[in-house]
Amino acid sequence: MKTRSQTDPGVPQPLVAECALRQKLPVILLILLLLVAGLRCVQLLHPGIATGDEALVALRSLGLLEHGHGWTPYWNGAPDVHKPPLYFWLVAAGYKIFGVGEIAIRLPSMASFLCVLALTYVLGRRVFDPWTGLVAALFAALHPTLATQSCVGMLDSTMIALSLGAAWFLLRAEKRPRDFLWWGLCCGLALLTKGMGAVPIFLASLLFLLAVRRQAFAVPHLYAGLFLAAVVSGAWFGSQFAMHYDIFLKPYYSDIVDYRLKHSWRDTALFLKSLRYLWASWGGLAPLLFGAPLLAWFGEPRLRRNGGPATEGWREAVLIALVGLVPLAMVSLVRQQMPWYMLPAVVPMSLFAARIAVGLMQGRYPLALRILPCLLL
């Protein structure tokens, strides 16, 4: 059966072609996204330990099995509480299912990467629209550092997935207060994955609530979520403090005070190091990605008017921005900075950049804001 647009000569053919393209483009984007994710999953099978950190993950996870209990990671026959154990628990479970090998070590990281892509889509769909979510997921999948980090047995992808999950439930909690419990659970598990590295999601969440959702502090479920996060993470941290006092203090106090925070606070280059890493990781897209939040804000002034349905979306976009900005600000304070410390900012930047890309495709920006992204590229 032919549609009206195919049979009615009154419908302009360019409009018919444009509608057909808009119907096919989401399918094309989805295929590209699945292709990129599939190519990354193949790297699970690459033989050999890829990095020194991956080797430490493998040994600490093996220590859980060799010493007959799964509460305290061991390395070289001694307790090692430098990192929380959630990822090591997942790898140890993989050892029992798949045997000791690269698949068990890397599978939790790769599964977390797929969760990151899914959460990028659902966050984009909620805050902006489904097109933005799909394009943002593709941008995140193509980020070289995030993808490479997710192909080895390291903790960052899992922490980022849990942090994004916390952001998702925090947005839902306005209409479904019980989701504060899921928010707290995700925050607690993020802390149980990477310890101090997961603190930014707490700070970003609280800043968001203070800025645009102050009424949430009158909701009992918020405090129940905070309590749940404290119990989930505090059970392990508290027990290790009690059982291995001297060993515990080194990574969680001595290293921070005597090394990470012991530097010249006038060192401007140090504060900008994480931004330089992030800029370099995007390559030629960096100017557009860094300018995307401002372009999106000034390019759609109608979204900032009070009383419209889109206003709520841009209030929620504040949380997306904080999820990216807070980790960058916090990591800039420490002396030791690694290229992957800036990875929590990748998804927020992808979401705003996708908003710009979708706006350009739909032609809803004024001429000046159509030209400016091209100049940034």
Side-chain angles (χ1 to χ4, degrees), residues 183-185 187-189 191 202 224-234:
W183 165 77
L185 179 62
C187 288
L189 291 176
L191 284 171
F202 266 113
L226 287 170
F227 178 76
L228 181 60
V231 170
V232 169
S233 58

Side-chain angles (χ1 to χ4, degrees), residues 37-49:
L39 290 174
R40 294 300 178 184
C41 290
V42 171
Q43 297 187 26
L44 285 173
L45 305 176
H46 285 189
I49 298 297

Side-chain angles (χ1 to χ4, degrees), residues 241-367:
F241 177 79
M243 293 188 299
H244 309 290
Y245 176 81
D246 294 335
I247 300 175
F248 183 86
L249 284 182
K250 186 178 187 303
Y252 295 106
Y253 178 77
S254 301
D255 285 356
I256 295 173
V257 174
D258 297 335
Y259 176 70
R260 291 184 179 269
L261 296 179
K262 195 173 183 179
H263 58 78
S264 172
W265 293 95
R266 294 174 294 179
D267 188 355
T268 306
L270 180 66
F271 300 145
L272 298 177
K273 193 173 182 180
S274 59
L275 290 176
R276 293 202 305 269
Y277 281 140
L278 186 59
W279 183 283
S281 70
W282 283 112
L285 294 175
L288 175 62
L289 269 293
F290 272 73
L294 291 176
L295 290 175
W297 178 257
F298 289 108
E300 302 185 38
R302 68 183 185 279
L303 296 179
R304 304 196 303 274
R305 296 174 184 169
N306 294 325
T311 303
E312 182 58 33
W314 276 91
R315 287 177 180 171
E316 295 181 341
V318 171
L319 177 60
I320 302 301
L322 288 171
V323 168
L325 286 173
V326 172
L328 286 178
M330 293 186 69
V331 77
S332 297
L333 301 178
V334 301
R335 177 178 178 180
Q336 183 188 26
Q337 295 184 32
M338 298 298 181
W340 55 85
Y341 285 4
M342 51 73 187
L343 287 179
V346 167
V347 168
M349 294 182 74
S350 298
L351 286 165
F352 285 111
R355 185 61 174 177
I356 295 299
V358 170
L360 292 174
M361 286 189 293
Q362 294 177 346
R364 63 169 179 261
Y365 291 151
L367 180 61

Side-chain angles (χ1 to χ4, degrees), residues 208-227:
F208 169 71
L209 293 175
L210 285 170
V212 299
R213 295 275 173 82
R214 292 184 183 179
Q215 65 274 18
F217 289 100
V219 178
H221 288 91
L222 171 61
Y223 302 99
L226 287 170
F227 178 76

Side-chain angles (χ1 to χ4, degrees), residues 47-98:
I49 298 297
T51 66
D53 285 341
E54 188 177 47
L56 289 175
V57 168
L59 292 173
R60 286 165 176 159
S61 304
L62 192 59
L64 290 172
L65 300 180
E66 290 178 342
H67 290 270
H69 66 85
W71 191 245
T72 303
Y74 274 73
W75 181 42
N76 285 344
D80 182 0
V81 296
H82 186 76
K83 297 291 184 183
L86 180 60
Y87 194 91
F88 309 141
W89 289 341
L90 297 174
V91 174
Y95 283 164
K96 291 186 176 181
I97 298 172
F98 304 106

